[in-house]
Structure formats: structure tokens, C-alpha cells
Amino acid sequence: MAISDTSRDAASRQAAIAALTEAFGHNRVVTAQAVREQHGNTVTWLPNEPPDAVVFPQSTEEVQQIVRICAQHKMPIVAFGTGSSLEGHINAPAGGVSLDFRDMNKVLAVHAEDLDCVIEPGITRKALNEHLRDSGLFFPIDPGADASLGGMAATRASGTNAVRYGTMKDNVLALKVVLANGEVIDTARRAKKTSAGYDLTRLMVGSEGTLGLITQLTLKLSGIPEAISGGICPFPSVEACCNTAIATIQSGIPIARIELLDALQVRACNLHAKLGLPEVPMLFLEFHGTEASVAEQSERFGEIAAEFGGGPFSWTTRAEDRTKLWEARHHAALSNFALRPGAQMVATDVCVPISRLAECVTETQADIAASRIMAPIVGHIGDGNFHLTLLVDMSDADEVKRAKALSERLVERALAMDGTCTGEHGVGQGKIKYLEAEHGPAALAVMASIKRALDPENILNPGKILAL
Amino acid sequence: MAISDTSRDAASRQAAIAALTEAFGHNRVVTAQAVREQHGNTVTWLPNEPPDAVVFPQSTEEVQQIVRICAQHKMPIVAFGTGSSLEGHINAPAGGVSLDFRDMNKVLAVHAEDLDCVIEPGITRKALNEHLRDSGLFFPIDPGADASLGGMAATRASGTNAVRYGTMKDNVLALKVVLANGEVIDTARRAKKTSAGYDLTRLMVGSEGTLGLITQLTLKLSGIPEAISGGICPFPSVEACCNTAIATIQSGIPIARIELLDALQVRACNLHAKLGLPEVPMLFLEFHGTEASVAEQSERFGEIAAEFGGGPFSWTTRAEDRTKLWEARHHAALSNFALRPGAQMVATDVCVPISRLAECVTETQADIAASRIMAPIVGHIGDGNFHLTLLVDMSDADEVKRAKALSERLVERALAMDGTCTGEHGVGQGKIKYLEAEHGPAALAVMASIKRALDPENILNPGKILAL
């Protein structure tokens, strides 16, 4: 949908931009086409839908001021972190302003005794961890991309070590949020737990900027482990990988990371970085704890893997050797370029109960073969979450069609197995069509009623999550 | 407020009871005064406000039928589990029916590979763990009382091992909920994580039956640890206890339980069970893991405690010896009767950032002394959550007044320290008055708008959480 197709009134939008420019100046209200297009960037096959302008606030008060101006003109507002989202979250299908939190990137406080910190939403996870390094603490959620923390909260991100540390829902203690009416709320105090009313924190986490704009986050931190062991383990089949993961978790080993690469993904890594790994399904593991406990965990894991025909399990606690062992995992995303140069990469993201994971991955591999699509698989296997990277020649209409159909069947397969259409990427525009199948009409109506209660004019990221 | 004072129409309520009786019979729609009063029971100084009738549903469909009948007559509905809530959650200030989930107490499925189970809301945590015993799994949340799981979810309960396993918000994967309009929703699938839209699970957890009625829960389970070590450790001061807890958590020891008893609470336990413990502040610890790791954790804890002047730390991995060491903690609740026979016990419940805990407890102890109230303290110290048990002679008006004032100051003190008015007991009726101070008017307005969106006629547990 191009901007001109929307029902939003063009004159109102120009008036909003004029008012914003008067308040913040041309340096902070940018309408240059390149900047606008960059803010509607998507890493999918969704078309670019740029906002009318990009605004760069510097404080919660400025965000309030922007929201009030936009509300007055019914101007859509799309929150923007680093633009690494994968389902069109930052597109502006109804036009409006992209609210770029680039300049709100400060660490406001680190409370080492409480294992928490207070930050602005624009700081990235790597910058935060850099800041925290000397405190002995770290923020564990790692979605791969160096995303902004505000964006990670908004999409309920997780990634490789969610199996141990949880997702953003488990690691956000409180949020400061500017509402659609311009008022600001704090969703919770800094206490570690509370039963004082509705959980507005968790309501905002994962709401993708449709219920409010996050202007401050209080995050739970973890102690940097005294020791880390890491390693890799080949397996005869994806099923053996899954069964090993289940047995490992059931045995109580507090595994920090357990990542699956299928044979094709390993092949891509070999091609890309000349690693010479056996091209079979592999697990990449990481254990956190004391020297003694990571050694014990690693040894036990090796025994469990052997029971399922896996191994040998190579592991080490030395940082440089760990990095070397994990090289393939680190290269996974980029390596896919080597597998099919020139192809567009499109990510998928489903999550099923772990007992169904082997079946889901195996059926999907057969479907990939039958669809004649190149699609290596990586999985956060401890959570039952996996991704295909579809490598698609976008100039081949038939291939695009087959890839899209494969992607649809993947979601349907996950839903049929009591899974979800998105484990961690979020809904954005790309997954809206699956929500009714996943949640049913009554639950979707509840979501819509909450959206209408909090944003009656639908100015906050319209056209995302819900088709309102 | 007596029933006759409410604005709800008495004739409508009688019509609702007649319709319910026609549908379910006199055995399942009970109006006997004793049964009604038992269902409005409170363990606080709130007056008993019995419902007009008690209904015993046996299925989700029956709950839907009840809600539809009640909605037609604008009849309030109060969900009831075991009646162990502490802030008047089950009172019926506007009359209505108490919906007692006693007969919906089945375990519907245990998915051992996925570490989850599906249950009805009326089953208690002890009954569930009894059922799970042979599976090697357990449900870790332990609020003390043998509460129903539905009630625990509704109040966002936690308790002694939340420091390791989290609260109900972290251990509920999905809920089946009957809405105020009689429709039923599933808040999520059984996948371990999802980013598919608003987090209705966490919205319902802690909503105290004001947004919907929980008729089924999918709970996350944990593996029964291979080894458990437990022990007790005396300290020179509450501050030393708190500093030890902070250092223990910061050091990354994955402690399972760390409970504070102040000197008066230890004295109560001695009086009650002739334990002969030194009457000083004490920590009660539990560690979960492998034989080697619980030994390592216990030894490290002992070293940390010694740094803060605590010890000796007596610990053991033998179950019977652990039980003996933990005897005082197990006796804590009952022992208070021994401290002041005939007094009424009134629980309090605040939670502050752990860095402020020593200050909060110490100031509170001074306030207790100045108030001339007997009030031993237990604390889930790893979370910054503690309780006074006010032992009050209810026939002494001046003492009641002093106890209530002490209790109010406790909440104000916690709020001033970035804490919450309730760490785990919930709002019910008792904490409503503090929510504006805790959340601010804008956040409270958001909660109210969600309540109105989901329950426009205010039939679900009216007069709880929000003063609507």
C-alpha cells in the first residue's frame, strides 16, 4: 500500500510535520527520501513503506510532545530502534512519522546490588554490555543482531541463550511508556517481584509500539559467569539432536545455549569459512557456572549425546578455543550468501513444544526438498524454536511462489503441533494473517479491545499485529 | 459494605440464583449461610462479605453457562479456589455468586518431554506435586498455603523458592479463560516462547478474577533436583543477612531458597517447638543441583556468610536432616500463636529492591518497637520481599489503631524505596488504596481502561484491584 492509498489525510500529515519541524527543527525532523526509505527498511519480502518524516527525540518529554502533536493530527507514529526487525514492524503503511530513538541511548543507572540497570531505549545490547563489563554483570538476551533494547522489548526478542535466561518478558523489570494520549506511565517499580495489579510491563513487552512508546527500560542483569564452557557435537540425525536436547534439559543441566545447525547449514559454514566440519546435524553448546560445574555439565552432556549416537563432543573452557569451536554458529547468518550468491535471504520463525520439534524439523526438511528451495536451518533447540533461511532468486516468480508456500506450510505445521507462528521475531505485518488461526477469534478480539482502549485513534504503529 | 447497601438490584440477583439453580440444581448452587460465609472468609481484618450463593462448576462449558446467566442479570462473580488469599480477594462486597472450582481439580495431561502439564484450576499445588512425583518433575512455586493453582495464578503468587524458579508469571505457559461475555479464550499455545501478539497470559496472571475466569492452566514444570542441600546460618544483624544474600546472588550461586527469620521469629519458633536456636537473625538456605554442585554452592555460601560475620553454617544433603534444620522455618507461621496466644494474626507483604532491604527491615523493626506491636518478620530475602505477622489483640481499639498505622507506614516506606505494596499477596480489597501511590494516576487509568474493555458491566470480582 503506497502512502497515497491510505485513508489518512495528506494535509493533516503535512500539518503535523510542519508542527514537529517548528518544535524540533529540520535537523531532527527529516523528510529526505533516503532517510525515510531507510526507516521503512524490511529484511523480508515485504515492500518498503517509508514514513513521511523521521523524528529524533532526546527525552521522554520530547516523545510526549511529539505524540501530542501527532495525536492532534491523527498522524501515525512508528517506533524505530536499529531497523533490524524482520516482519515489517517499522514499515509505515499509513504514512506518519518514524520515531527514531537513536539519540536516546544512555545508561541512566546501574544498580549492581540489585542486578538491574535503567537505560534509554536506543542503546544496543552490545553497547550496554560494553558499558557493564567492569561491573561483573551482563544483559544476557542475544537475538543475533545488535538490536536496540527498546526494539528488543517491543518485539519480545530472545535468541540463543533464552533456554537459560528467558526472553525479554523475563528480563524487563519495568518500562516508562508514553501513551497515545501523550501521558507517561511507569509500568512497575524496581522491586524484583510484585502482585500489585495488572502486569502492564508484560503487556507492553511484545506490543511492537502499538500500545505505547517505550522511553526507558529497567532491565534485570545477570552475573558474568565465573566459567564458560562451550563445544560442538555432531549427530546422526536431527531427531538425535532433539532427543539429546530433551534429555539434557530433563536431567536438570542448566544449559546456557543449545543451538542446532542442520547439515545444509553446516555445509554453508564450511563453504563460507573453510571449516572442514562433517556435514551432519550438529549441536553447539554453552554452559555457564563455576569451573567445576561447567566441567561437570559438559561431561554429562557428552554422555547423554553418546546415548543418542552423537559425538564426539569437543568442548573447552578457554575463550579463544570456544570461539573457534563456535565459529560455524557465528558464521551461520553470513554463510548463507556463500551457499547461493545473489539470492535474497528471507527468515522464518516458528516455535513448537520440544517434544514435537524433531517431527517438525524433519517434515520441514522433506517439504524443503519437495519445494526445491534452498533453506538451511538453525534452531534454538532448547526452546523448540527454529528458523529456515529461505535463499530465493527473487527474479524467478515460480521460485518465489514455492518459497512463500513453503513458508506458509511451515507456520501451519507449527500451529498444528500446538506451536506458534513466531517464537521471537514478532508479528509486524508479516504474521498478522496467522494470528486468528493461532489465537482464535475471541482472543484476537480481546487484543483488539485492548488496543482500542489504549489507542482509540489507532495512531501507534497502525497495521501491525492487528489488522485494524 | 453489607449486601443491602449495594447498588446491584436484589431482585435481579434472586433471578440469577433461580436461573442457576434451575441449571445446576440445589446441590451445586448453595445458599446456606455457613457456606456463603466460608466463601467470603478473609484472613485479615477485613469484614466477611459473603456472596449470595456458591456455585460448583465441573467444566469450562459450565463456567461459560454460569457467566452468561450472571451477565444477563448483572450478577457479580467471584472466583474461589481454597480461600487462602490474604487481602479479601474472595469477599463479595456487591453480593453475587462465588464460583468455587473445588470440582475442577483434574490433571488433564503431563508432557514430561516438554516439562509442562495441563490442569484444572481447582487442584492444589501439593496435590499436583503428589500426582507428578513419579515423573521426576515438580511444580516449584510454594506460597506456603496449599493453595489452588488457579488462585495462585490469579494472584501472581510466589513464595520461598521464587528466587530461583520465579513467580507464577514465569511458570504459567497458557491459560484457558472464560471472559465476562461468556466466550472462552486460550491465551497461548504450548510452545515455550512466542512473540505472537499481546501477552494475554501475563495479563490474566495476577488479575485476581477481574478480567476473566481461569478454567485451565498449562504450567511449566521443573526436574526434581538430583540433590538438595539445606541449612541454617545465624547472623549478627538483619543487615548482615541482607548483605550476604546480595553477595551470594551476585556471585552467581543459583540459590533455590534464602529465607530470613528475624530474632523475634526465631524466638517464636523456639517457644512453639522447643528448638533451642540462638535468638538472632537467621537465614534458611536450600540449594538444588547435582551432588557435587550443591556441595560447592553450600561451601561457597558458608564462606560468603563468614565474610559478613555470619555462621557457623550448618548444612546437609540428607532429607531428614534438612527437614530438621528447616524445622523453624516450617513452624514460622504456626509458632506465632505461641508468641501471643489469642492474638489475631494479620499478614503484611512488601517488596523492595534488595539493596534497600536491610534499611527497610531495620527501620521497620524500629517502627514495630515504637508502635508497641508484636510483629515477627520472615522474608524471601533473595527477592527483597518480607512479611510482618502483626499479632493483634482485636479487642484493644488503640492497639488495632497502632497496628494499622504501622502497616500503612510499612507500605509507605516500601514505596519510598522504589518497592511495591504487595510482593506476592495481591491487591484484593486491602491494597486498593495504595495503587495510585504506587503506579500513579495514568497507569491506574490504563488498568481501568483494560478492565472496562474486557468487563464493561463490571461483573467479574467487582471491588477488587480497582475501585470501580
Side-chain angles (χ1 to χ4, degrees), chain A residues 34 61-62 94 96 108 117 149 152 160 172 185 197 202 212 230 240 288 298 308 332 340-341 359 397 412-413 450:
Chain A
E61 294 68 29
E62 288 192 357
L108 302 172
C117 68
L149 273 310
M152 286 169 61
T160 53
V172 174
I185 64 168
R202 249 61 48 186
H288 295 177
S298 304
F308 293 97
R340 195 176 185 198
E359 188 185 355
E412 287 158 13
R413 186 175 303 121
I450 292 168

Side-chain angles (χ1 to χ4, degrees), chain B residues 57-60 63 99-106 120-123 214-216:
Chain B
Q58 293 173 352
S59 67
T60 297
V63 173
L99 209 156
D100 185 329
F101 284 101
R102 178 191 70 186
D103 299 337
M104 289 177 68
N105 62 357
K106 285 185 286 300
E120 291 184 322
I123 189 171
I214 298 168
T215 62
Q216 190 176 301

Side-chain angles (χ1 to χ4, degrees), chain A residues 255-308:
Chain A
I255 199 159
R257 287 183 158 115
I258 181 164
E259 295 284 298
L260 168 73
L261 272 66
D262 79 347
L264 180 61
Q265 185 68 68
V266 175
R267 185 164 165 244
C269 296
N270 279 342
L271 276 173
H272 174 66
K274 303 190 175 48
L275 300 176
L277 291 169
E279 293 179 1
V280 297
M282 302 198 72
L283 289 184
F284 289 69
L285 292 309
E286 203 172 276
F287 305 94
H288 295 177
T290 60
E291 285 289 346
S293 94
V294 300
E296 187 184 29
Q297 292 178 57
S298 304
E299 277 157 25
R300 287 190 161 217
F301 172 80
E303 290 161 15
I304 293 169
E307 284 172 32
F308 293 97

